[in-house]
Amino acid sequence: MTPRLTSAAIIAPVLAVLISACSTTRPTAPAAPQKADAAATPELRTVLERYVSAESAQDELDSLATWPTEDGRTWLIATAKSTHRLVVFDADTGERLREVGGEGQRLGEFDRPNGIAVYGDMLFVVERDNHRVQVMSLPDFKPLGSFGDAQLRSPYGLWLTETEPGELEVYVTDSFMYGKKFDEVPPWAELDQRVRRFRVQFDQAGHLRSSYAGSFGDTTPDAALRMVESIAGDPANDRLLIADEDRRHESTLREYSFSGKYTGRSLPQDSFGAEAEGVALWSCADGTGYWIAVDQLAPLTIFHLFDRTTLEPRGSFEGETTAHTDGVALHAASTATFPSGALFAVHDDKSVAAFDLAEVARVLSLSPTCTQ
């Protein structure tokens, strides 16, 4: 089948993915945020969740993507690492609709699914322990094929972009580690394999073809990507933001060009009190916008917003409940409950939470063009 392409307002937000922590210890929030100065670190605000779904502790939810159905609804699709399946929610209500898959190596089965992304009617799922990216059609979740099993060692996150009609470039983070506890960072020379790049095509019959296009990553001690997972891109600014979660060094998001070159820039130092986790781009109608980056804190996650172009801080907020967030998905298109779109976030590996983008914009005094 040929992919059903949605508008840019739908496709761009849902491709930003993002992804879970590699460590098992969850840091707690400091008693009071440390601020270098008022301009560099905006005041932390509160935005209440519109809902938090019922808990399902056994799933260990990780990453999120949205898909607009043909009947006008919106699905929120989550990866469940421990139960090796996908969980589908109603994005407007948080109601759990169905589960897909189960543990195994065949197409249609999963082994530790993590990163997830949507392109048209195609769903891309990273499987850490099957060392591949599996592609399925929506809404039937029919397996179409997989790629990357010859190159990927411990893949986590992905982001993709359309380079030509029917042709995609897919970036996959590969956080293979060494040591008995798999927490030893590889030698510097091997860190140029932290992001793998693939070219993917669909023919008129919907058949999948893929080719490996190499890897990249800085190999210097001060800038290397040590523990990677979340990745998202902005074609308009030739920018990839890649989260380095290793708190033994400095957890932040580093800026790369689409050619795989580290620019020397990262999000402002000391932005993250815990691990830099999920990241999503909120594009506005006038070409401006905001990067939303997760600070995986307890008792409450902090969501930091940075200017799309300059990467300067533009505000931070927390919810009333949402904590230990791994993946996020930004859906800027209108839905029944969220006329201006929504930000969806994983809560404590057990449920999903939703924030109204109109309320985020109001509380943080953001540009009105982002909610029109």
Side-chain angles (χ1 to χ4, degrees):
M1 58 181 284
T2 301
R4 174 173 64 86
L5 301 184
T6 55
S7 67
I10 295 176
I11 292 177
V14 301
L15 296 184
V17 189
L18 288 120
I19 319 294
S20 72
C22 293
S23 65
T24 57
T25 302
R26 302 295 183 115
T28 57
Q34 296 183 359
K35 303 177 181 180
D37 54 69
T41 308
E43 180 182 354
L44 179 64
R45 305 286 186 175
T46 298
V47 178
L48 299 183
E49 299 89 344
R50 289 294 297 270
Y51 68 72
V52 178
S53 70
E55 292 187 354
S56 177
Q58 74 273 15
D59 282 323
E60 194 181 1
L61 301 178
D62 189 275
S63 300
L64 303 172
T66 60
W67 183 71
T69 70
E70 294 180 347
D71 62 3
R73 303 171 70 188
T74 302
W75 283 355
L76 178 62
I77 308 171
T79 53
K81 295 183 295 188
S82 290
T83 52
H84 310 282
R85 62 188 180 185
L86 307 179
V87 181
V88 183
F89 298 89
D90 184 320
D92 279 308
T93 66
E95 177 188 359
R96 190 178 179 117
L97 300 177
R98 61 179 293 194
E99 295 86 29
V100 177
E103 186 172 9
Q105 297 180 341
R106 296 179 300 179
L107 291 179
E109 299 174 334
F110 305 100
D111 196 350
R112 199 76 176 174
N114 202 307
I116 187 170
V118 168
Y119 163 74
D121 287 343
M122 304 296 177
L123 181 69
F124 292 69
V125 182
V126 174
E127 299 176 64
R128 189 194 71 180
D129 292 352
N130 273 335
H131 319 291
R132 68 185 181 187
V133 179
Q134 187 173 173
V135 185
M136 314 177 89
S137 63
L138 294 171
D140 56 5
F141 294 93
K142 177 183 177 182
L144 300 177
S146 66
F147 61 89
D149 54 295
Q151 296 85 23
L152 297 169
R153 297 163 71 176
S154 190
Y156 278 83
L158 83 163
W159 181 81
L160 53 85
T161 185
E162 186 179 49
T163 54
E164 295 182 26
E167 296 188 12
L168 307 176
E169 195 158 57
V170 182
Y171 298 85
V172 184
T173 55
D174 199 357
S175 199
F176 56 90
M177 305 294 284
Y178 295 148
K180 293 182 179 179
K181 295 182 179 180
F182 298 99
D183 60 354
E184 181 181 331
V185 175
W188 302 116
E190 292 189 41
L191 295 181
D192 63 356
Q193 303 170 45
R194 274 310 193 222
V195 181
R196 312 278 189 178
R197 182 163 38 201
F198 299 89
R199 294 189 176 92
V200 176
Q201 296 177 315
F202 295 96
D203 61 22
Q204 292 298 317
H207 297 138
L208 169 71
R209 297 197 306 264
S210 66
S211 60
Y212 182 52
S215 65
F216 61 84
D218 194 87
T219 58
T220 61
D222 290 336
L225 295 168
R226 299 171 180 232
M227 295 173 61
V228 292
E229 192 163 358
S230 303
I231 181 171
D234 181 5
N237 289 291
D238 187 27
R239 173 176 289 153
L240 288 167
L241 288 185
I242 305 167
D244 186 344
E245 299 181 359
D246 192 352
R247 298 180 70 235
R248 296 169 297 185
H249 178 61
E250 176 192 9
S251 185
T252 187
L253 287 124
R254 301 195 183 279
E255 181 191 55
Y256 278 72
S257 68
F258 276 24
S259 65
K261 299 295 185 182
Y262 177 50
T263 67
R265 300 179 65 191
S266 301
L267 290 187
Q269 199 161 9
D270 301 325
S271 294
F272 298 92
E275 292 179 2
E277 274 286 352
V279 57
L281 177 62
W282 184 1
S283 300
C284 305
D286 60 358
T288 62
Y290 306 94
W291 286 100
I292 301 179
V294 168
D295 196 350
Q296 194 189 45
L297 288 163
L300 295 173
T301 292
I302 296 179
F303 301 89
H304 299 295
L305 275 72
F306 301 91
D307 184 88
R308 177 182 186 177
T309 303
T310 67
L311 299 183
E312 294 178 355
R314 288 292 180 260
S316 299
F317 73 92
E318 61 186 5
E320 187 177 50
T321 302
T322 307
H324 295 154
T325 295
D326 287 326
V328 294
L330 193 141
H331 187 85
S334 176
T335 75
T337 301
F338 305 101
S340 297
L343 173 70
F344 301 101
V346 171
H347 164 58
D348 201 25
D349 299 338
K350 303 173 183 177
S351 55
V352 293
F355 296 90
D356 191 327
L357 288 182
E359 183 66 4
V360 173
R362 184 191 68 81
V363 171
L364 298 186
S365 300
L366 304 179
S367 169
T369 64
C370 287
T371 55
Q372 294 175 351

